[in-house]
Amino acid sequence: MTTEIDWDQLRDAAIDAMRHAYVPYSNYAVGAAALTEDGRVVSGCNVENASYGLTLCAECALVSQLHMTGGGRLTAFVCVNGAGEIIMPCGRCRQLLYEHSAEGMVLHTVSGLRTIDEVLPDAFGPRDLETEAARKEQL
Ligand code: THU
C-alpha cells in the first residue's frame, strides 16, 4: 500500500493548507493532509482562538473536510509546520485520526513511515464501545 502513496503530493497539500493557518497567538502554523481510500486528498490548517484552549488543530479541519467531501477512511497522512517540515500529530489528533483510519493507515513521521497502530498503540476506539454495548445487551 505504501508504494502507491505519492508523499510529495500529500506534503505539498499539507504545505498549501498550512498557508491558511490562523495562528495569532502561537504563531505556529500547521498544515495536515491525508489520502482517502477512494483517492481524494483532504487537508486542514490550525485555527486558534483568544480563549486559547479552544484552538482547533489542523487535523480537526482535515477530519471535517473528510466528512464534508463524502466520508470514508484515511490511508495516509502527513502534517507540517510553518517551515514545511514534517511534524508529529499531537496525541489528541492521533486519536482523531485513529477513528477515521483505514486498516494499516500510514503516517509520514519524524522517524519515517509509521502505521497508525505504531503511533497510537492499544488505541481506544469504536470497537470498544461495540463490545460494551454487546455486554449490556446480555444483561
Ligand atoms: N497543532 C496542530 O494543529 N496539530 C498538531 O498535531 C500539533 C499542534 C497546533 C495547535 C496550535 O495552534 C499550534 O499547533 C501550537 O501548539
Side-chain angles (χ1 to χ4, degrees), residues 23 26 28 30 46 48 55-59 79 87-90 93:
V23 288
S26 74
Y28 190 89
V30 177
N46 53 337
E48 298 185 343
T55 288
L56 302 174
C57 281
E59 291 86 342
C79 60
I87 59 167
M88 293 304 290
C90 74
C93 288

Side-chain angles (χ1 to χ4, degrees), residues 56-116:
L56 302 174
C57 281
E59 291 86 342
C60 300
L62 181 153
V63 165
S64 183
Q65 192 177 99
L66 170 70
H67 288 278
M68 289 292 289
T69 60
R73 299 201 161 270
L74 304 172
T75 58
F77 171 89
V78 67
C79 60
V80 298
N81 63 17
E85 297 158 345
I86 288 173
I87 59 167
M88 293 304 290
C90 74
R92 175 183 180 276
C93 288
R94 294 180 202 191
Q95 181 74 28
L96 267 188
L97 294 169
Y98 178 78
E99 179 85 15
H100 305 284
S101 61
E103 187 87 32
M105 174 191 178
V106 183
L107 296 87
H108 203 319
T109 78
V110 295
S111 42
L113 299 183
R114 295 280 179 271
T115 65
I116 188 71

